[in-house]
Amino acid sequence: MSCSMNGPALYELPSAPASWRIALPHTVAAVPVARALVRTALAELEYGADCDTAELLTAELVANAVEHTPGEAPIELVVELMPSGCQVEVHDTDPAPPGDLTRPAGGPPDPWQEHGRGLLLIRTLSSSCGHRPTESGKAVWFRLSAVPAQRRRSA
């Protein structure tokens, strides 16, 4: 007796990108929600990016969007998992580019000042980062490379 199995899903390798997209309130309450979502998303990967770094940089992007975007429209967090690592994007309704994300101006910020360090952290700790216009404003993003499981801190 032979049995044939149809359906390509049975033979697909789990290397296709997976993505999460969630709308967040335009308040500082969005920051811990975004951190939790990124941690949950990266837990799905056998070879994930560093969770602590991803959480830190996501918190910076979300906090920047909340602080510098006028109005009360929700911001959107997009997390994409790839075999090579992850990409995190934060979408907001302000089309203006995010300060000094890709081209620092006027030297490094004073590390003892409360403001001005977030974009420096993102430039320094991500494998790449940038921003792009969207239909409703802009998306600011960073990528982190995958880290073998044995090099990641266990939860």
Side-chain angles (χ1 to χ4, degrees):
M1 169 165 122
S2 68
C3 175
S4 68
M5 292 189 179
N6 294 327
L10 295 173
Y11 303 103
E12 277 181 358
L13 295 174
S15 60
S19 63
W20 283 255
R21 180 181 290 262
I22 187 169
L24 298 170
H26 196 140
T27 69
V28 291
V31 174
V33 175
R35 290 181 75 125
L37 182 77
V38 165
R39 180 166 286 281
T40 300
L42 292 186
E44 302 286 320
L45 274 188
E46 181 181 352
Y47 292 95
D50 181 85
C51 274
D52 293 333
T53 303
E55 278 192 63
L56 173 66
L57 300 189
T58 300
E60 292 293 343
L61 283 189
V62 171
N64 273 351
V66 169
E67 183 178 352
H68 297 296
T69 307
E72 296 182 4
I75 57 178
E76 194 170 42
L77 175 69
V78 180
V79 182
E80 186 172 5
L81 304 181
M82 301 161 283
S84 58
C86 72
Q87 177 168 308
V88 176
E89 286 188 343
V90 173
H91 295 235
D92 63 49
T93 56
D94 184 358
D100 303 333
L101 182 63
T102 52
R103 281 177 307 179
D110 181 347
W112 301 108
Q113 293 298 316
E114 183 178 348
H115 296 288
R117 292 174 302 184
L119 297 178
L120 176 66
L121 278 174
I122 292 164
R123 283 199 314 269
T124 304
L125 297 178
S126 66
S127 56
S128 58
C129 60
H131 56 87
R132 61 183 174 81
T134 63
E135 288 182 14
S136 58
K138 71 172 173 301
V140 185
W141 57 270
F142 68 84
R143 290 188 189 119
L144 291 176
S145 298
V147 178
Q150 63 268 24
R151 285 184 44 208
R152 282 186 281 150
R153 199 178 60 161
S154 57

